[in-house]
Amino acid sequence: IVKKIIFLLFFLIYSFSLIGANLSFSGGKSSLSLKEGKEEVTLSDGATVKLDDMEITADKIVLSGSDWRYVKCEGSALIKDESRGLEIRALDIFFDRTEQTLSIASWFEINDIEQEITAMGGSMYFDMDKEIIELSQQAKLFKITERGIMRCSSESMIFDRSKNTLALMSNSLIEWDKDEYRAEVISVDLDSNKIKLEGRIEGTING
């Protein structure tokens, strides 16, 4: 009983320290390791972490590092970022709170409500301070326009949310308004929908 009380006291102390840093958590099952230099909180069974305007849920979430720098999500991970208007789904997600980066090494899907864009692929790296998303492994991006959905696909892409531009690299293809554009490198201004092709170029224009 005494050990359980001590554990609960430590757990509450760490919970309040997280909340004090604008970070709170919950889970049906939780465990806490207090080994110096290897502090770790493991959440499961409805694991949820809230940080300012961001909510993270997954089958399992592990918080670790100095000031709980690292957030590792495993199984049905979902990030809802209200300030950016983003939803990100993946099997696993790794979030570095200090560097403000997201890394995904599994199939993912991004829903950018603000830009009316959906993207997916096999891996992703998001520099949240620079607002740059790197997509790779059969990357695809779909954008709603007045002329219908613009479908973009390539081996890798760089989506700059601050400039609202897209760069497609290697086996790049854009299908839009019954037209097709193929090139090694394609650049898109997502505000004006202007398309620039570089390298070996092919296209099919209808109408």
Side-chain angles (χ1 to χ4, degrees), residues 9-51:
L9 286 172
F10 274 121
F11 194 77
L12 287 171
I13 290 170
Y14 272 81
S15 297
F16 283 119
S17 69
L18 287 168
I19 294 169
N22 296 322
L23 191 156
S24 61
F25 65 86
S26 62
K29 295 180 180 178
S30 306
S31 63
L32 176 67
S33 173
L34 299 175
K35 187 174 181 180
E36 187 175 354
K38 294 184 179 181
E39 294 85 357
E40 186 175 277
V41 174
T42 301
L43 310 168
S44 59
D45 191 12
T48 301
V49 170
K50 293 183 179 180
L51 174 63

Side-chain angles (χ1 to χ4, degrees), residues 59-183:
D59 293 339
K60 178 182 176 182
I61 298 178
V62 179
L63 303 168
S64 63
S66 177
D67 295 323
W68 311 106
R69 172 178 179 174
Y70 304 113
V71 182
K72 183 179 180 182
C73 311
E74 300 178 7
S76 302
L78 170 62
I79 292 179
K80 293 183 179 180
D81 189 334
E82 291 185 5
S83 63
R84 291 182 174 85
L86 285 176
E87 287 189 3
I88 302 173
R89 299 176 184 273
L91 183 63
D92 303 311
I93 298 176
F94 184 79
F95 178 29
D96 185 329
R97 295 178 56 225
T98 301
E99 294 294 326
Q100 283 293 290
T101 58
L102 284 175
S103 301
I104 299 176
S106 60
W107 187 258
F108 68 87
E109 181 177 325
I110 304 172
N111 184 21
D112 189 327
I113 300 169
E114 182 179 323
Q115 308 285 7
E116 295 186 305
I117 285 173
T118 298
M120 59 196 68
S123 63
M124 187 197 83
Y125 180 81
F126 183 14
D127 186 322
M128 301 172 78
D129 286 334
K130 295 180 180 179
E131 291 287 343
I132 293 177
I133 303 176
E134 299 176 15
L135 309 89
S136 58
Q137 299 185 35
Q138 299 181 343
K140 299 180 186 298
L141 183 143
F142 305 95
K143 173 177 170 55
I144 298 174
T145 75
E146 292 180 355
R147 292 165 54 190
I149 297 175
M150 180 185 290
R151 297 175 172 84
C152 308
S153 61
S154 64
E155 288 301 314
S156 61
M157 298 181 187
I158 297 178
F159 174 28
D160 188 331
R161 297 185 75 244
S162 63
K163 298 178 181 178
N164 208 21
T165 58
L166 178 68
L168 295 79
M169 292 157 287
S170 185
N171 298 321
S172 305
L173 168 65
I174 291 181
E175 299 171 284
W176 181 41
D177 194 23
K178 299 181 181 179
D179 299 334
E180 289 187 3
Y181 308 88
R182 296 178 184 271

